[in-house]
Structure formats: structure tokens, C-alpha cells
Amino acid sequence: MSPASQQWLAGLAGDGFAAERRAALAAALALADPDAALPDDPVEQVIVTVRALTGAEPNAAHVGLGRQPLWCGPDSGSGLAHSCDPSTGRSGVTGSFLAGGSGAQLLTAGGVDLDELLETRPWGRSLREAVQAAETELDWPARVEFVVEHGRPIIVRITRASLHGAALLHAVATRYERGRLTRAQAVSLVEPRDVDQARSAAVPSLELPAAARGLGVSPGIASGTVVFSAAEAVAARADGEQPVLVLTESRPPDLPGLLASTAVVTERGGQTSHAAVVARGLGLPAVAALVDGVLDAEAKVLRTTRGDSVRAGDLVTVDGHAGVLHLGGRKRSSAERRAALELPGWLGDALSALPGIAVRVNADTGADAAAGRALGASGVGLCRLEHMFLGERHQVLQRVLMARPGPDMTEDLATLHMLLRAEITDVLAAMDGLPVTIRLLDPPRHEFLPDLTELSLTTAATSAPADRDRLDITRRLHERNPMLGVRGVRMGVLLPMLTAVQIKALAQATLALRRAGRNPRPELLVPMVSASAELDFVRGMLDDVCAHLGTSPAEAGISLGAMIETPRAALLTRSIARRADSLSLGTNDLTALVWGLSRDDAEQHLLPAYQDMGLLAASPFALLDVEAVGTLARQVADEARAVRPDITLGVCGEQAADAAAVRFFAEAGFDHISCSPPRVPLVRLAAARAALAHGAADMHRAEAGR
């Protein structure tokens, strides 16, 4: 070691450092080879030590041989360089350098940016050329570990850079557009979470404090000012604000507020709550089931267990990925919000030519259907008629549900029919030539009835006969557990006139479009089926309505399907499949009924506690329960195909949009998966990746069998 290096080392590690290290090395060498002597020359020391270790008997020496990058010296140091920016993927050498430090110290203590050093240090140009050459050799952004010894860069290790999010998309796009990656190769390199990460700016980078945590029920990140009612959200939007709507829980009348909001937070609820479903359909970030926040609606303040208070007008950021409400933030423009939902053009091009399970969209309006089609959806997998009666329209359905037979009910049914026909026409027209699954009304009835407590107080205060009458009807229709009560086909059986009106609206919309030269492809779906006789009931009504219109379901092109969302329906798949043209697996309700859990309540306290205790890895409402629900799903597919090989099998529900679930349902033999418009691109990507992986596995098995 030169005198300058000795002086530098003594200043860094102390006068006795070199002697102590030499003594330790000599002792280790003596254990491996008692006859070996430690030379003075450093290179010879390495040679002798390696010979002793490799020639020794097993377990003869308790010494391991590792590689330590050179970095000693007054003009030396360690660095890490990338051939692109790891956060964006943009070309250009970036990295950090620690003078007089090792690679381990660089990782723990950090260093200075390479940007200026590459231009000012004598070794900068050589390092830049080496990093660029490494990328050319790998044909991928390179990660280069290096040291500088006496002003000369020495490359220690070169590996492929590990990129995610926007950086990965940029790297893949560059190579795909230059023809260096095939469609299949490009898609195989990109995971849905990379697209999801690239869509939104990361909240942690903003260093915003967390105000409350809950369940992320609709992905995305958005900032805005807090409001505590739907009316306040509408007013704030009219004033040019970006409101974040905070509610105890949302109900159908709150739809105008949801439409006006940039994000939603509810104290209660879960993955399948009203707010979660609507927010996903609208592409709004949403957090529900707060575990450390309590809303005081009268005082208009959200209080947290840490003592924080979120008040009306406060600027907050909602992270629908992580399920966190942050204090502060930056408001995004409308253009930025729209761009966040778009799939990169090159990736859409690559996906369009690749196989995979079909991806449909959940669409309750013509605008939703058009948005899904623009994002690559192959049809509508679920059109929920009850969602056409949110907001002010909920009163129309409420009057029908509470009406007694007579002129008033006839008038209300006529109004409902008119609204349904117009909305169904818009959806079918937007998806012209593609299949549209339209589900009969399946409202949790309590969401469309007056609040029993509020109505009781009003009636006690007014004693008005009309209020007493409404209270009597509400009490009669009130259910202790409405999610297990009169909903879906059950309501249609009890109110056959309501079922007939829905079918008539669908048939008339279909026939009108056909006369106009369009190609509507409606599929009528019956929810909450538990007995094959229920499907027979609806089939009979469909035949009767079409006959009254001078046609038949076959001539009108209306098929009939059943939702498999009760365990009984899953167990009786063969009987139901014989009567149906299609089956749709509803994973939300099926999961709730298999587990015996409330969809709205379990995710607030029970499931988070189970996850914290290690009893569950994830909520079954977020990730598909392959062990139980998945077993039923496979059974449904197998038994349906056994009696109707040509039957169409679909899946709708939040778990269905997860990448692992997409792969599962594709392998199980389902034909399509349906999800909200913003998730269509991600599910298309997951479907293509699943098909490519399945094809590669088949090829591997074929080659192994030769």
C-alpha cells in the first residue's frame, strides 16, 4: 500500500486497523493450513488464502471466502449506476457514488448523484461508456456496480435493472416499438400492477401524513376538499371545486354527490358496498370500512383514534390502492384524471392480437358501455337495472315497491318502463354487435325504502295519515337481513308485474334497434336463482311478453341466463343449466354465502383482525377464495358443460378482476369475465398473460413427453 493510501486508511479506520486485519487474516490462514505463511504482497495474500481454503478438508476451517469490491484509497470509492432513470425509464446514466466508501456503505449511508460527477471526474466518461455498453449487451436497462481506484473505474457486477411501474412500461415500449420484442414478449414482461402504478402518482413521494386507514375499495389516487353530504358535493363541483365525499355509508339517493366527487370515503361498508360498486364504475378512488376513524355527521367532522380531525373544506388525498386518507395533497386537472385511466397505445395494440379469456365491462349506462368498449371490452357482462334508479330516480322504484295495486301503481310502473326502455336502448346501442347481459332488478330492498327510524320520527311529529300509511308499509316490507331476503328473482316472483315491465322494456328496445338496422345482442340474466323453477317462471314471462309483442325470444334474439350466486344454485348446476342459455357466476354473493359473512360488515373489523392475527392472508371479498369458492366454480363449469357443451359461462364480482383470479377462471373454462370500466385494460392484460403462460406450460409438457 502506498504511503498516501496508508495515511488515508489510518485517518478513516484508525492507526491499528491494517495490523488488526492482517493478524485476523493470518489466524484464519493458520486454521486452514498451519504450514502456510502470510505473504506481504496483497495479491499473494489472496492467492495463498484461496489455495488454503479450497485445499482444506471439509469443516477443517471455519472461514468463508467472499468477494469485497476494491475501494480503498484517497481517490477511490464505490458507486451504483443505471443506464436509465429507475423511476421513469428515461434513457441516461443515473446513480450515486460514495467517495472513500464500500458498496455496503453506499446502500446504507447513500452517496452523491452521478450527474455532475460524470462530467467533472476523469473517470466519468469511461463509466458512462461502460454503462451504455452494458445496456447494449443485455438489450435491457442495466444496473452496474462499480468502484473507482486511483481515478480508474472498475466494473464489479452488471445485472438487468429491476424496473416497475412507469419505468418498466417505458423500457418495454421502447423495445417493442423498435421491433426488438414480439407482442407476446412485451405483454409477458408487464404485470397489471405495473400499469396500475404508472396510472397514479405515488402518495408516499408526497410525504403526506395519514389521517385514517381503511379498505381500498376502488383503485386510484385523487385530492380534493372534504364535504360531508351529497348536496355539498354537488354544490362544490358547481363552484369549480374537486370534492372528496365523506359519508357514514352511501345510499342510492347519494348518487348525484358521487357523480360530482373526485373521491369517496365511507366509514362503513366493504368491497361490495354501494359506495364501492358505484365508485369503481365511475373510476373514483374510494376507501371504506375505516378502522381508526369515526364520522360525526352532525358536527361535520371525521375524528381519528390518534386525535386528528378532518373538517369540511380540508384538503385531503384518497389512496384507493392502499386504503388511506391523507392530509393535504395536490388537485389534478380533468385531463390528468382522464389520462390516468388510459392504457398505453402500444400495449393496447399488443393485447388486441393476443388470445385470452374475453373481458366484458360492467355498464349501467350507455356512457359506461361506450367507455368500456373504447378500453377494449368485448361486451357488457353485467348491466344492473337497479343502478338506473340511483339519485333522484330512486323514488320511482321506491313508489313501485311500496305501491298497492291500483291506478297509482299502474302509473309508476309506466314511468319505470319508460326509463328502463330509454336506458336499455342506450346501452344496447353503445355495444351494437356485441353481447350485453342485462340483469333483472336485484336491489337490496332496504336501500330503496324510506329509513324506518327517520320515518317513525316524522310520523310521530306530524301524525299525517299519508305518513302513517308509509310507515305501515315500510314496517311490513322491513327485513332483518335484507341481503338474504326478498331480492333478485324472489322479488320478481312476488311482483310479477314488475318483472313483466322489465322484460317488456328490454324486448321493445331490442326490436326498435333491429328495425333501425342495428344489431343488439341482449342476454337477460336472472339474479339470486336457487331453484330451477324460478328460471322456468321467468322463461314463461319472457315468452308471454314477446308473444304479446308479436314475436318470440328466439326471433327477438333474447337469450336467458341465470346467476349462480347461492350455494344451492352451484350444487344444482346441471338442473339450472338445462334451462339456461348462459350462466354467470356472481362471486360477491357466493363468497358471502359460502363464508356466512356479511358483505358490508365483515371487512370493517372481523376480516382485518383475522389478517392481523395471521388467520387469513387476505379478505375473501378482495381475492378469490380458490379453496372453497374456487372449488364450487370449477364444479359449476364442469357440470354445466356436461349437460350443455355450448353454454356461455361468465363471471362477475370484484374478485374476478384480480390477476390470479383471471388466470383461475380462464383455466377453469369460463368464457368471459366482467369488471368496471377503469379495470378493463388491466383485466385484458391479465387475461393475455394467463393465456401466454398456459400456452408456454402446454408446450413445456409436450416437449417433456417426447
Side-chain angles (χ1 to χ4, degrees):
M1 184 180 292
S2 67
S5 295
Q6 292 178 10
Q7 183 179 0
W8 170 83
L9 183 60
L12 179 70
D15 293 335
F17 179 80
E20 291 172 1
R21 300 285 75 72
R22 178 184 176 86
L25 184 59
L29 180 63
L31 287 175
D33 185 357
D35 298 328
L38 187 68
D40 292 329
D41 182 77
V43 175
E44 290 296 326
Q45 290 177 0
V46 173
I47 293 173
V48 169
T49 303
V50 170
R51 284 176 175 170
L53 290 174
T54 56
E57 293 295 327
N59 301 322
H62 300 286
V63 179
L65 181 64
R67 180 179 65 181
Q68 174 66 47
L70 301 174
W71 55 272
C72 296
D75 299 320
S76 305
S78 300
L80 176 64
H82 286 86
S83 62
C84 71
D85 185 333
S87 62
T88 66
R90 301 293 179 186
S91 297
V93 178
T94 63
S96 57
F97 177 76
L98 180 62
S102 67
Q105 290 171 324
L106 173 66
L107 294 177
T108 56
V112 298
D113 288 341
L114 279 177
D115 294 350
E116 183 178 345
L117 301 181
L118 292 173
E119 303 297 333
T120 59
R121 296 297 176 91
W123 45 266
R125 180 177 178 181
S126 298
L127 177 64
R128 187 193 303 276
E129 292 174 350
V131 174
Q132 292 172 340
E135 176 171 329
T136 301
E137 179 68 23
L138 295 173
D139 194 20
W140 186 258
R143 179 183 187 274
V144 178
E145 299 174 33
F146 69 95
V147 296
V148 174
E149 185 74 8
H150 298 302
R152 182 171 64 93
I154 301 171
I155 305 302
V156 176
R157 183 168 62 171
I158 297 173
T159 57
R160 286 167 58 97
S162 178
L163 304 178
H164 302 283
L168 178 69
L169 291 181
H170 185 274
V172 175
T174 300
R175 284 153 183 79
Y176 173 72
E177 291 168 351
R178 293 176 182 173
R180 287 150 62 183
L181 291 174
T182 66
R183 287 187 175 94
Q185 290 170 332
V187 170
S188 296
L189 289 171
V190 179
E191 295 190 29
R193 67 169 175 264
D194 293 307
V195 178
D196 216 12
Q197 289 175 13
R199 281 177 163 183
S200 306
V203 168
S205 67
L206 303 177
E207 298 182 352
L208 300 175
R213 300 180 184 277
L215 186 68
V217 296
S218 183
I221 298 172
S223 300
T225 51
V226 172
V227 296
F228 289 103
S229 73
E232 292 172 357
V234 172
R237 176 62 70 179
D239 291 338
E241 292 293 320
Q242 294 178 10
V244 171
L245 181 56
V246 180
L247 300 170
T248 301
E249 58 186 344
S250 74
R251 291 173 59 86
D254 296 319
L255 180 63
L258 295 172
L259 290 170
S261 299
T262 190
V264 182
V265 176
T266 61
E267 179 187 357
R268 302 173 188 163
Q271 289 283 356
T272 56
S273 63
H274 176 268
V277 172
V278 174
R280 282 191 294 268
L282 297 173
L284 301 178
V287 174
L290 298 181
V291 296
D292 54 1
V294 178
L295 176 60
D296 185 340
E298 291 187 2
K300 293 188 176 182
V301 60
L302 177 68
R303 295 188 173 90
T304 72
T305 55
R306 293 179 299 279
D308 297 324
S309 294
V310 179
R311 301 183 182 277
D314 287 351
L315 178 63
V316 297
T317 295
V318 176
D319 182 353
H321 301 281
V324 182
L325 174 67
H326 294 268
L327 297 175
R330 181 183 71 85
K331 298 179 183 179
R332 294 196 299 173
S333 67
S334 298
E336 288 178 313
R337 292 196 300 272
R338 285 194 301 269
L341 297 178
E342 296 176 356
L343 195 68
W346 68 269
L347 186 53
D349 171 72
L351 289 176
S352 64
L354 292 176
I357 187 173
V359 180
R360 297 190 188 182
V361 65
N362 296 339
D364 309 316
T365 66
D368 287 346
R373 186 166 191 160
L375 292 170
S378 61
V380 171
L382 184 63
C383 177
R384 297 155 290 199
L385 295 187
E386 65 272 11
H387 282 198
M388 297 178 183
F389 296 93
L390 301 179
E392 294 180 358
R393 286 184 177 180
H394 87 285
Q395 296 177 0
V396 176
L397 184 55
Q398 182 184 99
R399 289 198 301 268
V400 171
L401 295 177
M402 298 181 68
R404 293 186 174 93
D408 289 343
M409 183 175 190
T410 301
E411 182 179 346
D412 290 333
L413 284 172
T415 301
L416 185 142
H417 167 262
M418 177 186 65
L419 293 173
L420 282 177
R421 177 174 173 174
E423 293 288 355
I424 291 172
T425 299
D426 287 346
V427 175
L428 291 174
M431 278 290 173
D432 191 54
L434 296 177
V436 175
T437 301
I438 295 179
R439 186 178 72 182
L440 290 172
L441 283 167
D442 183 25
R445 195 163 56 172
H446 66 294
E447 292 185 358
F448 287 87
L449 294 177
D451 183 271
L452 186 58
T453 301
E454 292 180 4
L455 187 56
S456 298
L457 293 174
T458 300
T459 303
T462 66
S463 298
D467 289 337
R468 286 200 301 271
D469 187 50
R470 282 169 55 82
L471 180 59
D472 289 342
I473 295 173
T474 302
R475 283 174 172 165
R476 177 168 56 83
L477 298 178
H478 178 72
E479 296 176 285
R480 296 290 183 184
N481 195 338
M483 299 304 289
L484 296 179
V486 180
R487 48 175 296 211
V489 69
R490 302 164 187 172
M491 186 174 66
V493 170
L494 295 183
L495 294 173
M497 293 178 65
L498 180 58
T499 302
V501 163
Q502 298 171 68
I503 296 175
K504 181 180 178 182
L506 172 60
Q508 289 180 330
T510 302
L511 294 173
L513 286 171
R514 290 195 187 284
R515 287 194 295 269
R518 309 295 288 273
N519 181 26
R521 295 175 54 191
E523 302 171 349
L524 183 62
L525 184 63
V526 184
M528 288 301 289
V529 172
S530 294
S532 55
E534 293 170 323
L535 198 60
D536 293 338
F537 172 84
V538 177
R539 174 77 74 178
M541 296 202 71
L542 176 61
D543 291 339
D544 291 344
V545 170
C546 287
H548 184 73
L549 296 175
T551 184
S552 67
E555 292 174 351
I558 302 175
S559 63
L560 184 66
M563 285 199 80
I564 304 298
E565 48 190 339
T566 69
R568 191 175 197 277
L571 294 171
L572 298 178
T573 295
R574 286 177 178 260
S575 175
I576 295 173
R578 289 189 180 97
R579 294 165 167 81
D581 304 305
S582 63
L583 298 180
S584 180
L585 192 77
T587 61
N588 291 341
D589 276 307
L590 186 58
T591 298
L593 295 175
V594 166
W595 279 80
L597 290 174
S598 165
R599 286 165 45 180
D600 292 335
D601 299 330
E603 291 181 296
Q604 186 161 13
H605 299 296
L606 177 65
L607 294 179
Y610 267 48
Q611 290 173 252
D612 290 342
M613 296 171 65
L615 301 179
L616 277 178
S619 165
F621 295 107
L623 298 179
L624 179 69
D625 169 22
V626 175
E627 187 177 17
V629 179
T631 298
L632 282 178
R634 286 189 184 277
Q635 178 179 319
V636 167
D638 292 343
E639 297 205 357
R641 298 285 187 205
V643 296
R644 289 283 301 275
D646 60 339
I647 197 169
T648 300
L649 300 177
V651 185
C652 59
E654 288 317 302
Q655 306 96 323
D658 174 67
V662 171
R663 184 168 58 252
F664 172 85
F665 288 119
E667 294 174 353
F670 285 80
D671 298 300
H672 64 82
I673 287 176
S674 192
C675 61
S676 60
R679 303 186 77 173
V680 167
L682 302 184
V683 179
R684 288 180 60 212
L685 175 58
R689 285 173 53 86
L692 292 171
H694 185 69
D698 286 346
M699 184 179 297
H700 177 74
R701 284 191 291 268
E703 291 176 350
R706 291 175 184 170

